[in-house]
Amino acid sequence: MRLVLIRHGEAVAGVENIAGGAEGCRGLTEKGRDEARRLHERLARTGEVQPDAWFVSTLPRAIETAEIVFPDADITRGDAYCEMVPGECDGMPREEARNRYAPEVDGPDEPMSPGGESQRQFNARVAAAVDDLAACHDGREVVVVTHGGFVWGTLHHMFGEMNIAAPANASLTVVRRDGNHGWQLERYNDHAHLFS
C-alpha cells in the first residue's frame, strides 16, 4: 500500500490564529488556494500520484484543498481525518483560548478545552483511521487530504517519536508498506512545487 498524505493549503484560521475546528475553520486564504493549484499542476504534470481512492477531512480548509488538487475525483469525507477537536475554544483566538483554558491543560489526557480531544485520544483516532485504511486498501494507493497534526500522528503511529518540523502547507508526505517489511517513509514534507 502507498499512502499519500496532503496537508491543506494556508488556512484563514491559521493566519488569524484562531482555533480552527468545525466552528472556527473558514477555509483557505487566497495564498492557500494558490498553493493547492500549484500542487494540482505538479501532480497533473508528473503523474507521481495515481490514487485508487481519495479521502478528506470534513473541515473546510481540507475540503477546499482536495477539490482544487483533485477536481474530478470522487472524494470520501470523514471526521477521522480531521485535526484535533478543540472543544469549547473552537473559533476563539488562540491567545484567548490559552488564557481561558491553559491552567486546565496539562498532560496527554487533557483536552485543549472542555469537549475537545486529548492528545492521547487524538493519537488513538489517527492510528485507528490509518489502520482501517491499510486494512481496506491493501496493495492500493490512497490519498488523504488532511492536517499537519494528522500527518504527524500517522508518522508517530508508524515509526514512534520523531523530531521533525511541522509539514508545510500543501505538502506531500508518502509512506509505503511493502510485503512484510512494514511501513517505510518514502518522503516527508515535499513542497517543491511552491518554489517553482
Side-chain angles (χ1 to χ4, degrees):
M1 178 190 185
R2 188 169 188 248
L3 178 60
V4 180
L5 302 172
I6 296 176
R7 186 182 180 201
H8 59 78
E10 183 184 79
V12 173
V15 170
E16 295 182 355
N17 206 19
I18 300 292
E23 298 297 319
C25 182
R26 295 197 306 276
L28 299 177
T29 64
E30 187 52 48
K31 179 181 178 184
R33 287 187 283 278
D34 181 62
E35 290 168 341
R37 281 190 289 270
R38 287 173 179 245
L39 178 56
H40 167 77
E41 290 165 2
R42 169 186 170 171
L43 298 182
R45 184 179 67 253
T46 66
E48 66 196 272
V49 173
Q50 296 292 323
D52 300 295
W54 297 261
F55 297 87
V56 64
S57 152
T58 55
L59 296 178
R61 59 190 182 268
I63 293 169
E64 195 173 347
T65 300
E67 289 174 346
I68 293 169
V69 178
F70 302 107
D72 301 318
D74 182 14
I75 305 173
T76 301
R77 298 179 185 186
D79 292 335
Y81 316 114
C82 287
E83 189 60 272
M84 184 184 291
V85 176
E88 288 179 10
C89 71
D90 193 357
M92 285 185 186
R94 287 192 175 273
E95 184 175 346
E96 179 185 340
R98 274 192 298 272
N99 291 340
R100 185 177 298 184
Y101 298 109
E104 299 173 19
V105 177
D106 185 20
D109 293 310
E110 296 298 324
M112 188 183 305
S113 68
E117 282 181 303
S118 70
Q119 186 66 55
R120 197 179 310 273
Q121 289 169 327
F122 175 68
N123 291 347
R125 172 167 58 83
V126 172
V130 169
D131 289 348
D132 185 59
L133 287 171
C136 295
H137 301 280
D138 189 35
R140 301 171 75 199
E141 181 165 296
V142 173
V143 163
V144 180
V145 182
T146 186
H147 307 269
F150 189 93
V151 173
W152 179 88
T154 298
L155 298 184
H156 180 267
H157 173 56
M158 292 175 175
F159 306 114
E161 290 290 336
M162 298 178 75
N163 186 17
I164 52 177
N169 292 322
S171 64
L172 297 165
T173 294
V174 183
V175 289
R176 178 188 300 272
R177 188 174 63 183
D178 186 16
N180 296 321
H181 297 106
W183 290 104
Q184 299 172 9
L185 183 60
E186 186 176 303
R187 67 180 105 155
Y188 175 70
N189 194 27
D190 178 355
H191 56 289
H193 47 280
L194 301 184
F195 299 100
S196 58

